[in-house]
């Protein structure tokens, strides 16, 4: 009788430990799914009559993290109306024209921490070049937001949007932009 009770307790402990060990994996799977969904929604905004994410636009806070938006605002405030730099280019589509589609779009998301993730996005460009974009994401008020974009298309050196903006600001501290 004691043996069957001990056996039942041991079986219960094994069962519970198996369930608990799968909990973080299930949580990460859900997080990756929500990250993938967010990134898919970004790319669905392109095309005819689309309204894709714009770091300096009115809808920026729906897609970008506050620190990245602030960095962009600093660049634009310093540069003035004749600005021509990192923000004149759409880093998500690796293009200037946002009336584009994304042949062979593939999104692979992975969790880094409970509030950070990375999405690797690949698609074919108009010229047939395979584009590879890494999007760093952060959880802001339970919503995913872009904290950086890195383009790994073509040969190195590779850089990130955040690094380009910081480089522009650093360059202007030496020589202010002409207005």
């Amino acid at each position: 009788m004691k043996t069957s009770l001990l056996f039942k307790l041991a079986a219960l402990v094994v069962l519970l430990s198996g369930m608990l060990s799968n909990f973080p994996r299930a949580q990460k799977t859900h997080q990756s799914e929500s990250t993938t969904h967010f990134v898919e929604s970004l790319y669905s905004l392109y095309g005819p009559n689309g309204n894709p994410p714009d770091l300096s636009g009115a809808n920026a806070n729906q897609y970008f993290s506050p620190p990245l938006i602030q960095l962009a605002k600093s660049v634009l405030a310093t540069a003035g109306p004749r600005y021509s730099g990192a923000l004149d280019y759409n880093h998500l589509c690796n293009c200037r024209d946002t009336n584009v589609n994304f042949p062979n779009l593939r999104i692979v998301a992975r969790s880094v921490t409970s509030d950070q993730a990375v999405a690797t996005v690949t698609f074919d460009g108009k010229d047939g070049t395979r584009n590879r974009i890494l999007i760093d994401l952060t959880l802001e008020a339970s919503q995913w937001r872009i904290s950086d974009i890195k383009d790994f298309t073509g040969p190195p050196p590779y850089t990130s949007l955040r690094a380009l903006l910081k480089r522009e600001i650093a360059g202007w501290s030496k020589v202010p932009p002409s207005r």
Side-chain angles (χ1 to χ4, degrees), residues 89-124:
Y89 187 79
N90 190 300
H91 296 267
L92 286 170
C93 69
N94 198 9
C95 63
R96 290 190 192 281
D97 178 16
T98 57
N99 183 11
V100 295
N101 59 17
F102 301 98
N104 300 315
L105 178 68
R106 184 167 183 246
I107 300 166
V108 177
R110 67 177 174 84
S111 301
V112 177
T113 65
S114 62
D115 63 347
Q116 294 180 333
V118 174
T120 302
V121 180
T122 55
F123 56 89
D124 296 336

Side-chain angles (χ1 to χ4, degrees), residues 55 66-80 83-87 160-179:
L55 187 53
L68 189 58
I69 293 170
Q70 189 55 48
L71 191 57
K73 284 181 180 180
S74 296
V75 165
L76 293 172
T78 305
Y83 173 75
S84 177
L87 293 174
S160 74
L161 174 58
R162 182 178 294 282
L164 289 171
L165 295 174
K166 286 181 177 181
R167 190 178 307 152
E168 286 180 354
I169 292 170
W172 293 334
S173 67
K174 296 172 187 158
V175 180
S178 60
R179 290 183 178 234

Side-chain angles (χ1 to χ4, degrees), residues 151-159:
D151 182 4
F152 286 89
T153 306
Y158 304 115
T159 191

Side-chain angles (χ1 to χ4, degrees), residues 2-173:
K2 287 183 179 179
T3 305
S4 74
L5 180 61
L6 286 175
F7 179 75
K8 288 178 183 177
L9 280 173
L12 182 62
V13 167
V14 168
L15 180 65
L16 286 174
S17 67
M19 289 172 57
L20 291 175
S21 70
N22 286 328
F23 180 72
R25 194 173 323 150
Q27 190 175 18
K28 280 192 168 194
T29 299
H30 174 70
Q31 186 176 4
S32 294
E33 288 172 1
S34 71
T35 305
T36 301
H37 179 71
F38 174 73
V39 176
E40 285 172 345
S41 72
L42 295 173
Y43 283 89
S44 73
L45 297 170
Y46 289 84
N49 304 316
N51 187 22
D54 179 2
L55 187 53
S56 59
N59 65 354
N61 63 350
Q62 294 175 14
Y63 307 105
F64 299 97
S65 68
L68 189 58
I69 293 170
Q70 189 55 48
L71 191 57
K73 284 181 180 180
S74 296
V75 165
L76 293 172
T78 305
R82 291 187 180 168
Y83 173 75
S84 177
L87 293 174
D88 284 342
Y89 187 79
N90 190 300
H91 296 267
L92 286 170
C93 69
N94 198 9
C95 63
R96 290 190 192 281
D97 178 16
T98 57
N99 183 11
V100 295
N101 59 17
F102 301 98
N104 300 315
L105 178 68
R106 184 167 183 246
I107 300 166
V108 177
R110 67 177 174 84
S111 301
V112 177
T113 65
S114 62
D115 63 347
Q116 294 180 333
V118 174
T120 302
V121 180
T122 55
F123 56 89
D124 296 336
K126 285 184 179 179
D127 63 356
T129 302
R130 188 75 176 155
N131 288 268
R132 184 169 174 250
I133 310 291
L134 265 62
I135 305 171
D136 291 341
L137 300 157
T138 186
L139 213 50
E140 302 278 345
S142 300
Q143 299 292 317
W144 288 112
R145 297 296 180 253
I146 300 167
S147 59
D148 203 1
I149 303 169
K150 300 167 186 157
D151 182 4
F152 286 89
T153 306
Y158 304 115
T159 191
S160 74
L161 174 58
R162 182 178 294 282
L164 289 171
L165 295 174
K166 286 181 177 181
R167 190 178 307 152
E168 286 180 354
I169 292 170
W172 293 334
S173 67

